[in-house]
């Protein structure tokens, strides 16, 4: 059954959207499996994204967990950052090999479709040099501010973060505007906190993730169909997601992901015997041939033009290539034409 991949930076509402989609699909009687960082690590640990080796191991564990749960009966939802397009391509290949549809849900905070750290656009900011932080702070200027919800595991208050340049250039706002700016981040942080996340992402790590983030592009086949959700006010497009998962055809598997058809033992035996006879006849015929002669070989109705003496090593290499290709496409109807097919292959390879 289908695979749903969620993508986005921390605190973009992915886990809440995952729970919303899981509840909607489970309410329809479908079996839904959610794979996230906590399910793989045992407990969510944000520091894993600061260590390239641990992050690589995490991606491998997530991929293995998804591969184990992919089936024709269940829906699998992957709740992780999934910010590397190469990893999303690996997930696309898993779905293609399992012959199941896939869709991508991209969660973005308002004000930045590129997934930046600044949380702007939810309300009008009176000063462009002042950015409202999503991360609550205990106090600012020695004065306690409005207390926010405990979204990071530690009770904290919320405050506005002023850029260094703005501290020197921007005059102090009135007490009413300052209080309003202080109350807003607590509400925003509470709203955009991960639904079941207790991990804390340091500002340096969030900035690094934003710089490394590779946004999905619907022009890439592994990123479509793509659903972009800006903020939590925008409703989840359940009807479109259902259509993408249950009405669309699965990506066609490549030849490398398909099981090769089994050939009968008689076909392989005859293939080996016919090619051996053609090689033996060619080695015997070229002993008395001169360049330009047309050689008639046993079991064939066509002729091979002789241009130069051929060694057994060269002919054996071509024979192995022909056998390998023919075993990948066995067809009992071609048995009477195997000798002519091998002769044509030799003629094209030698000239």
């Amino acid at each position: 059954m289908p695979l749903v991949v969620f993508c986005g930076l921390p605190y973009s509402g992915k886990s809440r959207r995952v729970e919303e989609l899981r509840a909607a699909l489970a309410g329809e009687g479908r079996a839904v499996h959610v794979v996230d960082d906590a399910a793989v690590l045992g407990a969510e640990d944000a520091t894993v994204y600061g260590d390239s080796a641990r992050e690589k191991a995490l991606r491998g564990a997530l991929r293995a967990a998804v591969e184990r749960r992919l089936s024709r009966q269940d829906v699998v939802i992957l709740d992780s950052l999934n910010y590397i397009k190469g990893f999303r391509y690996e997930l696309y290949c898993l779905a293609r090999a399992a012959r199941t549809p896939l869709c991508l849900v991209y969660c973005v905070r308002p004000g930045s479709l590129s997934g930046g750290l600044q949380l702007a656009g939810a309300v009008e900011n009176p000063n462009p040099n002042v950015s409202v932080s999503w991360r609550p702070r205990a106090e600012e200027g020695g004065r306690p501010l409005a207390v926010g919800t405990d979204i990071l595991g530690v009770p904290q208050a919320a405050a506005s973060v002023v850029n260094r340049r703005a501290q020197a250039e921007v005059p102090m706002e009135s007490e009413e505007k300052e209080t309003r700016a202080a109350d807003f981040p607590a509400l925003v942080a509470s709203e955009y906190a991960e639904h079941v996340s207790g991990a804390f992402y340091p500002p340096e790590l969030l900035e690094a993730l934003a710089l490394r983030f590779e946004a999905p592009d619907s022009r890439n086949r592994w990123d479509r169909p793509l659903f972009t959700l800006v903020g939590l006010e925008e409703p989840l497009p359940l009807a479109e997601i259902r259509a993408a998962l249950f009405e669309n055809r699965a990506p066609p598997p490549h030849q490398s992901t398909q099981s090769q058809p089994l050939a009968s033992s008689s076909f392989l035996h005859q293939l080996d015997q016919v090619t051996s006879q053609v090689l033996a006849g060619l080695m015997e015929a070229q002993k008395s041939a001169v360049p330009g002669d047309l050689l008639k070989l046993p079991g064939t109705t066509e002729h091979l033009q002789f241009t130069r003496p051929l060694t057994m090593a060269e002919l054996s290499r071509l024979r192995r290539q022909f056998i390998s290709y023919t075993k990948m496409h066995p067809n009992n109807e071609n048995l009477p034409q195997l000798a002519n097919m091998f002769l044509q292959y030799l003629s094209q390879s030698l000239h």
Side-chain angles (χ1 to χ4, degrees), residues 145-275:
L145 299 178
V147 177
T149 55
D150 183 9
I151 63 169
L152 300 177
V154 179
Q156 292 178 328
S160 63
V161 177
V162 181
N163 298 334
R164 293 181 180 178
R165 183 169 57 86
Q167 290 179 351
E169 299 177 359
V170 181
M172 295 297 294
E173 298 293 334
S174 63
E175 184 70 20
E176 178 181 359
K177 292 183 179 180
E178 186 174 316
T179 305
R180 182 176 58 190
D183 292 340
F184 170 68
L187 299 176
V188 172
S190 174
E191 182 180 11
Y192 287 93
E194 298 292 333
H195 188 65
V196 292
S197 172
F200 172 74
Y201 289 82
E204 298 80 8
L205 179 58
L206 280 170
E207 183 177 359
L209 288 173
L211 294 176
R212 302 200 305 256
F213 191 86
E214 297 174 336
D217 188 348
S218 60
R219 292 173 296 181
N220 300 327
R221 62 183 183 276
W222 57 86
D223 285 338
R224 63 173 182 257
L226 174 64
F227 302 96
T228 302
L229 301 178
V230 181
L232 296 177
E233 295 80 7
E234 184 176 351
L236 188 67
L238 290 174
E240 290 80 2
I241 292 178
R242 288 194 192 95
L245 297 180
F246 306 113
E247 298 178 11
N248 284 356
R249 297 180 58 184
H254 285 183
Q255 182 177 343
S256 59
T257 63
Q258 290 180 301
S259 298
Q260 300 300 332
L262 297 177
S264 63
S265 58
S266 60
F267 177 85
L268 297 179
H269 174 72
Q270 190 165 353
L271 174 64
D272 181 78
Q273 187 177 20
V274 168
T275 53

Side-chain angles (χ1 to χ4, degrees), residues 15 67 78 99 102 139 197 281:
S15 294
E67 187 174 10
L78 177 58
R99 301 187 180 184
L102 171 143
E139 59 182 8
S197 172

Side-chain angles (χ1 to χ4, degrees), residues 1-5 25-26 28-33 65-78 91-103 241-251:
M1 288 296 286
L3 171 63
V4 184
V5 178
L25 295 179
E28 300 174 357
R30 304 183 186 274
V32 183
H33 298 285
V66 169
E67 187 174 10
R68 285 195 301 269
R69 289 169 174 81
L70 275 180
S71 66
R72 297 181 179 271
Q73 293 78 29
D74 303 339
V75 178
V76 180
I77 302 177
L78 177 58
L91 298 173
Y92 168 80
C93 291
L94 286 181
R96 184 177 58 191
R99 301 187 180 184
T100 182
L102 171 143
C103 77
I241 292 178
R242 288 194 192 95
L245 297 180
F246 306 113
E247 298 178 11
N248 284 356
R249 297 180 58 184

Side-chain angles (χ1 to χ4, degrees), residues 3-9 12-22 25 34-35 62 75-83 87-88 91 102-108 194 213 216 226-227 229 236-238 241 245:
L3 171 63
V4 184
V5 178
F6 276 77
C7 171
L9 286 173
S12 59
K14 296 188 303 298
S15 294
R16 186 174 299 186
R17 294 295 194 174
V18 167
E19 178 60 24
E20 184 179 351
L21 179 60
R22 187 205 64 79
L25 295 179
V34 177
V35 178
L62 289 172
V75 178
V76 180
I77 302 177
L78 177 58
D79 178 16
S80 187
L81 302 186
N82 299 320
Y83 67 94
F87 182 59
R88 295 197 296 268
L91 298 173
L102 171 143
C103 77
L104 182 66
V105 181
Y106 179 29
C107 298
V108 188
E194 298 292 333
F213 191 86
L226 174 64
F227 302 96
L229 301 178
L236 188 67
L238 290 174
I241 292 178
L245 297 180

